[in-house]
């Protein structure tokens, strides 16, 4: 069903809105003029309390051959504004903020989020890369009444989209009011468990851009280092022990896109730690700590390698078949990652001291994201240990009832511990009141 640009009431996954293209950039000083002719979203829903939003919000969307333009007008008079973050890309989630979300694949495999707080500081995220931090523009101003406007200018080159002269994406707008702990969303369904659940977003149709506008450019980053001192060649290895290693004087990272959505990634003598995350952690419990992977080579396209669903009662506690932080120092890595149509794939090889590891993942997801089939394999060769894992998975979601099924089967063959098999089945029901698994 196709609607006019003006919206009344929260939207659902079946709604569609025609993108409005402009020939010149709209004003970033006020929400007027061309903004009013774009996609106009209002009547948000309070996702926290599951009721119509208490704070009025209007969002607007336009685009041209190079950029997406997003504007928000947020009524907040009488409620204090929280805007403590002053550093770009560091995270505005605790501040009042507005956000624009798009899924250029339409099935949840390529999702991007851009957020800005009431003083114009922004952050961003992508399902493709934990280190996603493109250059984009944001601004905001608070008026005398305590309301604020925010503007986002997002380069099309910062996102990956399928080739084609006419495209359609899923999209959503959201807003957070810190003082009220209210998370508001434009798209809403009683079965939604998260605002980022792409399956419930409406469609943005009729997007006419050139294939080159959303095609990433090849990149190469090099470093040169020099060290001195008696311990200059003593480093911590992957199991926490210190040993003698030759210092790495130079290294190289390369990304070369084959298509708009599929790329080759290579690294030579990479940085050998999660520099931004390294710290001493004391954790007095019996459970092993799981670290987030931030090394560029592993972070880019990580979800395409770990394609099989992690089934568990508690989110994030499932079986992670390829845990890259366990790979310490390595010398060279090669990877192909990305999507092609409804398919998402990743293949990599890593070679280092006593290490020769391979991992691969593949998933096919239907257009609406309701059904996905996946497979994954890992072949690890660490010193004298050889370990092979193969897994298959399936996910199914009924967006109307909230019923969800997940299946995962894995087998492992290790030169040290022999063979093992694992089967997990999850049947759940989720709605606005509860989640049952």
């Amino acid at each position: 069903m196709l609607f006019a640009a003006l919206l009344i009431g929260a939207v659902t996954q079946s709604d569609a809105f025609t993108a409005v293209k402009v020939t010149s950039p709209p004003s970033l000083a006020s929400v007027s003029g061309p903004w009013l002719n774009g996609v106009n979203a209002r009547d948000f829903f309070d996702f926290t309390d599951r009721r119509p939003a208490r704070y009025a919000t209007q969002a607007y969307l336009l685009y041209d051959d190079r950029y997406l333009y997003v504007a928000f007008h947020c009524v907040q008079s009488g409620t204090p504004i929280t805007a403590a973050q002053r550093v770009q890309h560091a995270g505005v989630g605790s501040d009042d903020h507005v956000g624009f979300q798009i899924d250029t694949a339409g099935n949840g495999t390529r999702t991007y989020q851009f957020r800005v707080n009431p003083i114009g500081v922004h952050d961003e995220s992508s399902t493709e890369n934990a280190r996603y931090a493109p250059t984009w523009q944001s601004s905001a101003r608070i008026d005398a009444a305590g309301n604020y406007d925010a503007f986002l200018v997002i380069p099309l080159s910062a996102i990956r989209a399928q080739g084609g002269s006419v495209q359609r994406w899923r999209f959503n707008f959201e807003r957070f009011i810190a003082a009220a702990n209210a998370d508001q969303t434009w798209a809403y369904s009683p079965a939604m468990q998260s605002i980022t659940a792409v399956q419930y977003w409406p469609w943005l149709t009729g997007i006419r851009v050139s294939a080159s506008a959303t095609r990433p450019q090849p990149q190469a980053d090099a470093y040169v280092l020099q060290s001195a001192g008696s311990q200059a060649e003593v480093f911590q290895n992957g199991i926490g022990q210190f040993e003698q290693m030759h210092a790495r004087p130079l290294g190289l990272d390369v990304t070369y896109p084959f298509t708009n959505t599929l790329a080759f990634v290579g690294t030579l003598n990479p940085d050998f730690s999660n520099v931004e995350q390294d710290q001493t952690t004391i954790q007095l419990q019996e459970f092993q700590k799981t670290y987030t992977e931030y090394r560029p080579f592993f972070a880019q396209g990580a979800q395409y390698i770990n394609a099989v669903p992690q089934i568990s009662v508690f989110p994030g506690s499932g079986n992670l078949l390829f845990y890259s932080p366990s790979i310490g120092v390595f010398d060279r890595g090669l990877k192909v990652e990305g999507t092609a149509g409804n398919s998402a794939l990743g293949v990599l090889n890593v070679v280092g001291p006593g290490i020769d590891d391979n991992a691969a993942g593949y998933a096919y997801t239907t257009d609406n994201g309701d059904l996905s089939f996946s497979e994954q394999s890992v072949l690890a060769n660490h010193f004298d240990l050889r370990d092979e894992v193969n897994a298959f998975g399936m996910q199914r979601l009924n967006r109307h009832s909230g019923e969800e099924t997940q299946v995962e089967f894995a087998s492992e063959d290790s030169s040290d511990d022999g063979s093992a098999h694992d089967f997990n089945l999850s049947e759940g029901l989720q709605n606005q009141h509860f989640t049952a698994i």
Side-chain angles (χ1 to χ4, degrees), residues 111-178:
T111 304
Y112 304 89
Q113 176 174 259
F114 302 87
R115 305 188 299 184
V116 59
N117 72 6
I119 59 173
V121 177
H122 66 240
D123 71 7
E124 62 287 306
S125 62
S126 168
T127 57
E128 295 182 312
N129 195 334
R131 298 176 64 99
Y132 182 69
T135 300
W136 59 285
Q137 180 184 352
S138 65
S139 62
R141 62 177 182 86
I142 304 172
D143 65 24
N147 308 312
Y148 72 93
D149 293 336
F151 302 90
L152 298 76
V153 181
I154 304 164
L156 290 171
S157 59
I159 63 177
R160 297 202 291 187
Q162 302 281 36
S165 58
V166 182
Q167 301 187 28
R168 67 172 189 163
W169 306 336
R170 289 197 181 272
F171 74 125
N172 190 27
F173 303 99
E174 60 104 3
R175 177 187 174 191
F176 179 69
I177 301 92

Side-chain angles (χ1 to χ4, degrees), residues 45-52 188-194 431-433:
F45 206 82
D46 189 323
F47 186 78
T48 306
D49 294 332
R50 305 282 180 161
R51 63 183 183 184
Y188 176 75
S189 168
M192 285 179 71
Q193 291 293 294
S194 169
N431 62 27
Q432 60 184 336
H433 301 296

Side-chain angles (χ1 to χ4, degrees), residues 106-107 342 364-372:
N107 60 7
N342 288 29
Y364 179 89
T365 307
T366 56
D367 284 336
N368 55 19
D370 287 353
L371 184 63
S372 176

